[in-house]
Amino acid sequence: MTTTASNTTAPTRLLRVENATYAYRRFGGGAGLPLLCLQHFMGTLDNWDPAVTDPLASGREVILFDNAGIGKSTGEVPTTVAGMAAHALAFLDGLGSARCDVLGFSLGGMVAQQMAQDRPAIFRRMILVGTAPRGGEDIMHLHKASLARHLADPSLDGYARLAKLFFTSGPSSQAAGQAFVGRLARRKEDLDPVSGQAVAAAQIAAFREWEQFSGEPFVDLRSIEQPALVVHGVHDEMIPISNSYRLVENLPNAVLLAYPDSGHGSLFQFHESFTRQASAFLASDSPFAPY
Amino acid sequence: MTTTASNTTAPTRLLRVENATYAYRRFGGGAGLPLLCLQHFMGTLDNWDPAVTDPLASGREVILFDNAGIGKSTGEVPTTVAGMAAHALAFLDGLGSARCDVLGFSLGGMVAQQMAQDRPAIFRRMILVGTAPRGGEDIMHLHKASLARHLADPSLDGYARLAKLFFTSGPSSQAAGQAFVGRLARRKEDLDPVSGQAVAAAQIAAFREWEQFSGEPFVDLRSIEQPALVVHGVHDEMIPISNSYRLVENLPNAVLLAYPDSGHGSLFQFHESFTRQASAFLASDSPFAPY
């Protein structure tokens, strides 16, 4: 059985484990460990930009994953990041994957951090984009004006709204947003169901829980010793870049790459740079994050 | 006349202009524009790590510069960054260099920012390492405990003190510091005079003036439109990384690369990564900073 090495054409697969069925796609190959991709708020397999996934799939297998209750995966959407991490680990166990690399974007980056703490050997190298540590600030507060104006705008459909939310208002970033949604729209068949309000409510609950901490903030990050590449757009309104500052100040082995003129979707806006940097980072076998 | 493409062996040259003589070294070559290197507090030509300058010199000519009153350059050390910028521009005029790239480290990064504002066409691309914008915070406050303990330690000579000041206290960073001072010590002849207390006093005055601002802070950065690569060590005690956060949040076209487990000398600690990243950044002709 072969797959096409693109998220535009890779078939959606189902993995049955004891209590659940997980939807996923896998494509590409090469010398590297598989790269597990963990998705953002309300995102499905169809929200992975092929301009990001496909170049990465030229050096390794890329595995896209729908957590419980998302897309064609069964079950309830967990209301905690820890619950989502448990599902992702069960999925990897079901695949027989004992060690991989990870790209966690936004909510997915929180899930990746939790997985690394729950099972330290699972990841070799971690890429954390547009995300926040436990105890981070201003995580997905959708009622604030800068976000609510797009969410409440009845003239925006799903993809047009994404271009407003993930990109800045500047002309260059908005043009990149249009190109991004055009790339997502290339996939015409075998689509995931779009996430609805029940998904949103559960994931928002998980964000609120993730903002809580007890004791000294960010000390839990010191136990994540994997080399990490942390990426953020400087004008991200959904999860501010200050959260990535706290990540690299407290993770013992993390490089920060911050992009100008960009918001939450910095990896999609600067996909050529991002995939070049991510590929160089993943290709390194150094115990140190700098690459 | 030939030069060896290393700061270990390149001869010190003198350029006479109307009112001053400037000491400099130039070596290497390639397709790129020349790279002007602007030095840190009290640093001379001999403080440029060959592990940083020499790989960069394989793609372009590298030009190291002693500002007025430093090393074998004549004149008084200016007490403002603006005064230093005027000297650096006079030096480039004397060389006949109308356009170049720049690597400004620490104080040198402040001089580079001032030059870009005084003469916007002078730089094509800018690399700013361990530096701060005008109005930045906690710039070289040598009396604070984390710095004073090394500056007041009579057991440390010049290079040993540098290894303490530029690197963190961790074993990996300290080992990198020892390697760094070993590389500096390879140059045995044609050395610059070491900077003394008069240099320190004037440059400290320039730091205090640079911390001042009137009006809204950091708006002056918006006029620096060159692609910029901003680099900082997350545990820099001499000029904290918060200053680079402000740089990339306000410069319109700047990427931030932050290194873990490192202090003011992050570029020397991770010289392999830094020169790879800097070379890729300088090799780009994109109007956008991401590379």
Side-chain angles (χ1 to χ4, degrees), chain B:
Chain B
M1 182 174 183
T2 61
T3 58
T4 309
S6 172
N7 191 36
T8 302
T9 51
T12 304
R13 301 166 185 235
L14 298 175
L15 177 74
R16 290 181 181 80
V17 299
E18 194 172 350
N19 298 312
T21 297
Y22 297 117
Y24 69 108
R25 294 179 195 148
R26 61 193 307 170
F27 49 93
L33 281 180
L35 179 69
L36 176 69
C37 297
L38 299 173
Q39 188 58 293
H40 63 77
F41 175 63
M42 295 188 80
T44 70
L45 302 176
D46 300 326
N47 288 97
W48 280 112
D49 184 351
V52 165
T53 57
D54 300 359
L56 295 174
S58 73
R60 64 199 56 75
E61 190 176 46
V62 163
I63 301 175
L64 312 183
F65 168 62
D66 272 335
N67 212 303
I70 308 295
K72 293 173 181 164
S73 288
T74 61
E76 298 286 315
V77 177
T79 55
T80 64
V81 170
M84 298 173 194
H87 277 292
L89 288 169
F91 167 70
L92 290 177
D93 289 341
L95 278 188
S97 181
R99 190 163 171 82
C100 61
D101 293 330
V102 68
L103 164 57
F105 173 40
S106 188
L107 175 60
M110 301 169 202
V111 175
Q113 292 171 65
Q114 187 68 54
M115 293 169 73
Q117 293 187 317
D118 293 346
R119 197 184 294 181
I122 191 67
F123 297 135
R124 185 193 65 120
R125 297 198 144 221
M126 305 175 67
I127 304 175
L128 303 172
V129 184
T131 191
R134 173 173 285 284
E137 63 180 3
D138 192 14
I139 298 172
M140 291 283 177
H141 286 264
L142 303 183
H143 295 291
K144 69 181 184 180
S146 58
L147 301 178
R149 63 186 173 131
H150 302 307
L151 290 165
D153 184 341
S155 74
L156 297 172
D157 70 0
Y159 276 171
R161 181 169 289 127
L162 211 53
K164 293 291 184 188
L165 288 167
F166 275 21
F167 297 81
T168 73
S169 58
S172 176
S173 191
Q174 278 300 303
Q178 292 307 312
F180 163 68
V181 300
R183 293 190 297 268
L184 293 186
R186 280 185 208 153
R187 187 177 178 104
K188 305 289 190 193
E189 299 175 351
D190 185 22
L191 296 171
D192 261 353
V194 172
S195 299
Q197 286 308 309
V199 171
Q203 292 183 336
I204 290 286
F207 289 133
R208 294 294 81 77
E209 196 277 337
W210 189 249
E211 285 180 330
Q212 307 303 313
F213 67 95
S214 57
E216 190 184 347
F218 313 126
V219 288
D220 52 326
L221 295 174
R222 294 180 199 164
S223 67
I224 300 180
E225 296 178 346
Q226 284 92 344
L229 173 60
V230 176
V231 179
H232 223 113
V234 289
H235 302 303
D236 190 336
E237 290 284 344
M238 305 193 86
I239 299 181
I241 191 171
S242 57
N243 290 291
S244 276
Y245 299 158
R246 300 298 91 76
L247 278 171
V248 298
E249 289 163 2
N250 292 281
L251 286 167
N253 198 10
V255 165
L256 174 62
L257 181 69
Y259 282 122
D261 181 40
S262 55
H264 201 52
S266 67
L267 75 172
F268 308 131
Q269 180 166 343
F270 294 111
H271 56 85
E272 290 182 359
S273 171
F274 174 75
T275 55
R276 190 182 303 122
Q277 296 280 346
S279 295
F281 172 74
L282 293 174
S284 171
D285 273 328
S286 168
F288 301 108
Y291 58 96

Side-chain angles (χ1 to χ4, degrees), chain A residues 75 128 157 211 217 270:
Chain A
L128 303 172
D157 70 0
E211 286 179 328
F270 294 111

